[in-house]
Amino acid sequence: MSHTPGPWFVYRIGISTSPTPPTGSPIHTFTMSGQFGGVAEQNANLKLIASAPELLRSLELLVERIDTMGMHEDEAFHPYYKRAKHVIRIARGGGA
């Protein structure tokens, strides 16, 4: 499974996963309903969701760097490395 590539953009009270800012019709949109708190909370949630592709890519780069350095078994890195690999697997459509 592959997600719609980023960057994603927050506009008004929705998200566009269009590869360019929403000047025309977005590829996909997502709008939060009132059940998710007030407007400030909805906007914060939308910004977090919109940043997901960049967050995922950053985590993947971090894991690659730890692998390159041979630090994945290091006691200081291992718990975080293991968690990062787990989150990446879930985001890429793997099991929990």
Side-chain angles (χ1 to χ4, degrees):
M1 176 182 80
S2 181
H3 61 80
T4 304
W8 296 354
F9 301 92
V10 174
Y11 66 100
R12 284 192 239 135
I13 271 254
I15 292 178
S16 169
T17 57
S18 172
T20 57
T23 55
S25 297
I27 296 171
H28 301 287
T29 60
F30 173 79
T31 304
M32 301 197 70
S33 70
Q35 73 189 54
F36 294 103
V39 172
E41 184 178 351
Q42 289 178 21
N43 285 331
N45 290 339
L46 290 169
K47 288 175 184 177
L48 178 61
I49 293 166
S51 69
E54 186 62 26
L55 289 169
L56 176 59
R57 183 64 188 135
S58 295
L59 193 57
E60 289 171 334
L61 290 170
L62 182 62
V63 165
E64 287 175 21
R65 182 66 175 147
I66 291 171
D67 282 338
T68 300
M69 294 171 56
M71 303 289 289
H72 58 278
E73 292 295 331
D74 185 284
E75 187 176 305
F77 288 103
H78 186 70
Y80 308 106
Y81 174 85
K82 187 176 175 183
R83 178 70 181 156
K85 295 279 283 187
H86 175 74
V87 170
I88 291 167
R89 185 172 46 254
I90 291 170
R92 291 288 179 203

